[in-house]
Amino acid sequence: IGEIRRYLRDNNAVRVSRSLRDIAYKALQVREKLIGDNASEPTIAQIAEELQIPREEIVFALDAIQEPVSLFEPIYN
Amino acid sequence: MNVKNYVRFEFQSLPENISFARSCVAAFAAQLDCTLDDIEEIKLVVSEAVSNSIIHGYASNPHEKVVIAVSIMDDDTLEIIVEDYGVGIEDVEKAMEPTYSTDPSRMGLGFTFMKSFMDELEVVSKPGKGTTVKLKRNFAVANKEAYA
Amino acid sequence: MNVKNYVRFEFQSLPENISFARSCVAAFAAQLDCTLDDIEEIKLVVSEAVSNSIIHGYASNPHEKVVIAVSIMDDDTLEIIVEDYGVGIEDVEKAMEPTYSTDPSRMGLGFTFMKSFMDELEVVSKPGKGTTVKLKRNFAVANKEAYA
Ligand SMILES: Nc1ncnc2c1ncn2[C@@H]1O[C@H](COP(=O)(O)OP(=O)(O)O)[C@@H](O)[C@H]1O
Ligand SMILES: Nc1ncnc2c1ncn2[C@@H]1O[C@H](COP(=O)(O)OP(=O)(O)O)[C@@H](O)[C@H]1O
Ligand SMILES: [Mg+2]
Ligand SMILES: [Mg+2]
């Protein structure tokens, strides 16, 4: 069991669960900071690097706090 | 063009899968050198195409299948193909006109958004057979600056 | 068992797709009534299975194909199937033993994690043909309380 725990820790496999909201909020904060620093819109790779979170998790997190489906089209009804 | 990475999804024509598909395609596209704004546009475009397949193509029957194929080409080009095997479109040119919709309660702007957020939009449809929507966008830096 | 929702995806055997696949399966699984910790465990399990296909099955050749099929059954059961068409496993029972690995630099705990985080693990493999890993977990409340 000790070995398994060490493996998990070393591989950063099971990390402290962070809510999608939390990740999304941090991503938006970092984006603002990077815009301030570089006077240009950062790429997702730059945000991911700064947060040490995989790019796809940032994308899913931001999607989770968004309005469902389309901003423009009512889907049902 | 050289395909650098590729994914193909098949999923049930359920409304909850619109947002799932949108997130997955966006997550895959995030491998390209692009911004959060670019990703928002890709999400919108995928939502429009997938919801068209479910709502129009399958008349909201949840037991059908939607297919999405996404390719990253030459490190800077994204190609998204959304396919259904539903009712198809009689007159594609007409369907693509802004504000045209066969459903009076809808805005008829889906194809207009797809065209304006992507560099290329190609729709192939056969009544009774289904519809294929092919979307392409280049994210090369030169290209980005041209818009600035 | 009644399939409530289903997605199947195929992608290239590239290392960057491990994290992509993991996120997609997690997003799909989030339709179930489960906790953040459950989702983290599902991610881990998918990473292990997909990386096995890429690293062992395909010896890290990026031009091959990995397939994942995910089903939600009866509102509370998740089934994940990860499939490759790679070298296969000679002795599945041995491969599943804790700390067994054909690569001395690895820990040999992938299957052990899959078994411990899921309710069912089934591995079918044919040398020269490929490997199918089927994982199942039930998220019913009764089940959850038994662990509490
Ligand atoms: N996948 C599809 N299958 C069948 N018909 C479609 C499909 N996609 C679009 N259409 C037709 O094209 C029309 C225009 O589509 P769109 O621009 O997205 O507007 P809207 O969805 O608001 O009607 C739809 O009203 C429908 O008649
Ligand atoms: N998809 C696969 N294709 C071929 N061999 C595999 C596959 N998955 C697992 N194996 C074999 O089973 C062994 C044990 O796998 P695992 O428990 O994940 O440990 P590890 O990946 O650390 O070696 C691997 O070393 C490999 O020999
Ligand atoms: Mg539409
Ligand atoms: Mg392994």
Side-chain angles (χ1 to χ4, degrees):
Chain A
I1 289 289
E3 191 182 25
I4 293 181
R5 283 225 190 86
R6 201 171 334 112
Y7 171 92
L8 292 174
R9 212 181 305 122
D10 292 351
N11 286 275
N12 194 21
V14 168
R15 51 176 164 264
V16 182
S17 303
R18 277 204 267 181
S19 75
L20 292 173
R21 253 168 213 289
D22 191 25
I23 293 173
Y25 177 67
K26 286 215 173 78
L28 293 174
Q29 255 184 339
V30 163
R31 178 206 203 189
E32 289 312 309
K33 174 182 165 283
L34 290 174
I35 289 176
D37 290 354
N38 309 321
S40 72
E41 181 75 31
T43 63
I44 295 177
Q46 290 169 325
I47 297 171
E49 169 74 16
E50 185 88 11
L51 281 177
Q52 290 292 302
I53 291 176
R55 300 177 197 193
E56 35 284 283
E57 294 195 16
I58 292 172
V59 173
F60 277 107
L62 286 167
D63 211 37
I65 61 167
Q66 239 180 16
E67 295 302 308
V69 198
S70 166
L71 296 167
F72 301 89
E73 301 264 349
I75 289 305
Y76 278 85
N77 88 77
Chain B
M1 288 249 200
N2 218 326
V3 174
K4 288 288 166 68
N5 199 354
Y6 174 84
V7 65
R8 179 183 189 277
F9 296 93
E10 282 178 26
F11 51 90
Q12 256 180 265
S13 48
L14 282 164
E16 54 263 48
N17 290 343
I18 298 174
S19 96
F20 170 72
R22 167 178 87 170
S23 298
C24 290
V25 174
F28 195 74
Q31 292 179 7
L32 284 158
D33 200 17
C34 63
T35 67
L36 286 178
D37 290 336
D38 295 331
I39 290 292
E40 285 308 313
E41 293 173 4
I42 290 163
K43 281 185 195 166
L44 173 66
V45 157
V46 172
S47 289
E48 294 297 336
V50 174
S51 59
N52 276 356
S53 289
I54 295 179
I55 297 167
H56 303 301
Y58 294 132
S60 301
N61 174 351
H63 301 293
E64 302 293 336
K65 195 173 73 179
V66 180
V67 175
I68 306 185
V70 193
S71 307
I72 292 177
M73 292 187 276
D74 290 342
D75 291 323
D76 57 16
T77 301
L78 180 71
E79 185 189 82
I80 305 168
I81 296 172
V82 178
E83 194 163 63
D84 66 65
Y85 312 98
V87 296
I89 304 174
E90 288 284 347
D91 185 341
V92 170
E93 225 161 295
K94 196 169 184 181
M96 292 172 76
E97 281 171 14
T99 75
Y100 176 85
S101 177
T102 42
D103 177 343
S105 74
R106 301 182 58 85
M107 304 190 37
L109 292 175
F111 283 129
T112 307
F113 289 138
M114 292 184 227
K115 208 183 290 177
S116 63
F117 290 130
M118 301 296 279
D119 298 329
E120 282 176 42
L121 163 64
E122 197 185 308
V123 181
V124 177
S125 190
K126 258 198 186 153
K129 293 279 179 200
T131 302
T132 303
V133 174
K134 190 165 137 184
L135 299 149
K136 225 175 191 169
R137 179 158 155 188
N138 182 276
F139 290 93
V141 178
N143 202 296
K144 243 181 243 161
E145 277 166 3
Y147 285 106
Chain C
M1 288 249 199
N2 218 327
V3 174
K4 289 287 166 70
N5 199 354
Y6 174 84
V7 64
R8 177 183 189 277
F9 52 115
E10 284 178 23
F11 51 90
Q12 256 182 262
S13 48
L14 282 163
E16 52 263 49
N17 289 343
I18 298 174
S19 147
F20 168 72
R22 173 176 79 172
S23 295
C24 289
V25 175
F28 197 75
Q31 294 176 10
L32 285 157
D33 196 16
C34 62
T35 67
L36 274 180
D37 290 332
D38 295 335
I39 293 289
E40 287 303 323
E41 292 172 5
I42 289 163
K43 281 187 193 166
L44 173 66
V45 157
V46 172
S47 289
E48 292 296 335
V50 174
S51 59
N52 276 356
S53 289
I54 294 178
I55 296 167
H56 303 300
Y58 294 131
S60 299
N61 174 352
H63 302 294
E64 303 292 337
K65 195 172 74 180
V66 179
V67 176
I68 304 185
V70 193
S71 307
I72 291 176
M73 292 185 281
D74 290 342
D75 291 322
D76 58 15
T77 300
L78 180 72
E79 184 189 83
I80 304 169
I81 296 172
V82 178
E83 194 162 64
D84 66 65
Y85 311 97
V87 296
I89 304 173
E90 287 285 349
D91 185 341
V92 170
E93 224 161 295
K94 196 170 185 179
M96 291 173 75
E97 283 170 14
T99 76
Y100 176 84
S101 177
T102 42
D103 176 345
S105 73
R106 302 181 57 86
M107 312 238 353
L109 291 174
F111 283 130
T112 307
F113 290 141
M114 293 183 226
K115 208 184 292 179
S116 62
F117 289 130
M118 301 297 279
D119 298 330
E120 280 175 45
L121 163 64
E122 197 184 309
V123 182
V124 177
S125 190
K126 258 198 186 153
K129 293 279 180 201
T131 302
T132 303
V133 173
K134 189 164 136 184
L135 298 148
K136 225 173 190 170
R137 181 158 155 187
N138 182 276
F139 291 93
V141 178
N143 202 300
K144 243 182 242 161
E145 275 164 4
Y147 284 107

